[in-house]
Amino acid sequence: MSAIIELRSITKSFGPVDVLKGVDFTAHEGRVTALVGDNGAGKSTLIKGLAGVQPYDGGEVLFEGNPVTLHHPRDAARLGIEVVYQDLALCDNLDIVQNMFLGREELAGGTFDEGRMEAEAARALQTLSVKTVKSLRQKVASLSGGQRQTVAIARSVVKKAKVVILDEPTAALGVAQTAQVLDLVRRLADSGVAVIIISHNLQDVFAVADDISVLYLGTMTARLEASQTSRDDVVGYITGTKRMTGVDA
């Protein structure tokens, strides 16, 4: 299966500290790839490079098989790469539709086309089979944590993202809300989007991921199919007590 995103020998340093040391990474359409590792492993740096926030120092980035440069968030957005950060970047004083189109409002005759935006927002939520939102005109301040995460993910559907990166999407959520968000992540991948999820919660990872990539001190120590590995094995790769031969060696 060809990868929609392929990173080859990626490096990134901050002064004398080498944060990424020749990392290879892939993500595929219609699959959820979990990126896991301990604090300081390099997960955030790898993702910020993909988002164009902190360009890589070296290596090659391929998108749909073609070499690309990601020097600015606009570069990532043009390709269809969207990131849902842990803080979600939602405005509490705006409603769901306004948040989903913030910064890219649809215009008609020089004014906001509210009807079109509302219809597209409703279509995005319908695509993801979202049933927990009562009204598209609810203020985000009135939403639960799980509903906020839903709005942030649906925003990427409105933007017609090909790759969605989720940074700790279930952090601080209760059991029921976590289940709702993980179900939403699965439906997003089933719609053909490549989903990359960063998580410290291995229970969530095994509940939703197809593939697991493990970073350890700036190197990709394992790339695994979730169905062919175990929690104990992944913990071993995260802590450095296990290592796959031929992976970023």
Side-chain angles (χ1 to χ4, degrees), residues 95-101 104 106 113-130 133 135-137 150-151 153-155 157-160:
D95 65 32
I96 291 173
V97 175
Q98 291 167 329
N99 267 283
M100 289 174 69
F101 284 88
R104 58 173 301 275
E106 301 285 356
D113 190 341
E114 296 287 350
R116 181 178 175 184
M117 289 190 291
E118 186 166 328
E120 288 190 25
R123 192 155 46 244
L125 292 172
Q126 185 178 23
T127 297
L128 296 171
S129 301
V130 174
V133 174
S135 169
L136 291 172
R137 292 302 177 179
T150 295
V151 172
I153 293 173
R155 182 170 55 192
V157 175
V158 164
K159 293 181 179 179
K160 297 178 173 58

Side-chain angles (χ1 to χ4, degrees), residues 91-96 135 137-145 147-148:
C91 296
D92 284 353
N93 61 319
L94 300 180
D95 65 32
I96 291 173
S135 169
R137 292 302 177 179
Q138 281 181 267
K139 291 287 193 292
V140 163
S142 70
L143 301 180
S144 68
Q147 289 171 323
R148 287 170 181 250

Side-chain angles (χ1 to χ4, degrees), residues 46-76:
L46 190 70
I47 292 309
K48 286 178 181 177
L50 266 178
V53 176
Q54 289 178 342
Y56 302 128
D57 294 336
E60 188 176 20
V61 180
L62 280 76
F63 189 86
E64 296 181 325
N66 301 309
V68 297
T69 56
L70 299 171
H71 290 158
H72 192 278
R74 285 192 297 268
D75 298 331

Side-chain angles (χ1 to χ4, degrees), residues 21 28 64 77 79 97 120 130 178-179 190 198 200 203-204:
K21 308 168 186 176
H28 299 82
E64 296 181 325
L79 294 172
V97 175
E120 288 190 25
V130 174
T178 293
D190 289 344
I198 304 170
H200 284 91
Q203 181 175 336
D204 291 354

Side-chain angles (χ1 to χ4, degrees), residues 154-236:
R155 182 170 55 192
S156 67
V157 175
V158 164
K159 293 181 179 179
K160 297 178 173 58
K162 296 181 179 180
V163 178
V164 176
I165 303 168
L166 304 172
D167 183 13
E168 299 286 354
T170 59
L173 296 183
V175 175
Q177 291 181 345
T178 293
Q180 291 171 1
V181 169
L182 293 178
D183 189 43
L184 185 63
V185 170
R186 187 67 259 168
R187 290 199 296 271
L188 183 62
D190 289 344
S191 72
V193 175
V195 181
I196 301 170
I197 179 172
I198 304 170
S199 180
H200 284 91
N201 189 320
L202 291 185
Q203 181 175 336
D204 291 354
V205 166
F206 276 95
V208 76
D210 299 297
D211 307 300
I212 302 173
S213 292
V214 186
L215 275 172
Y216 175 73
L217 297 180
T219 64
M220 191 62 74
T221 191
R223 295 194 296 273
L224 311 155
E225 282 193 51
S227 62
Q228 303 299 314
T229 190
S230 69
R231 180 189 176 105
D232 287 345
D233 281 343
V234 173
V235 169

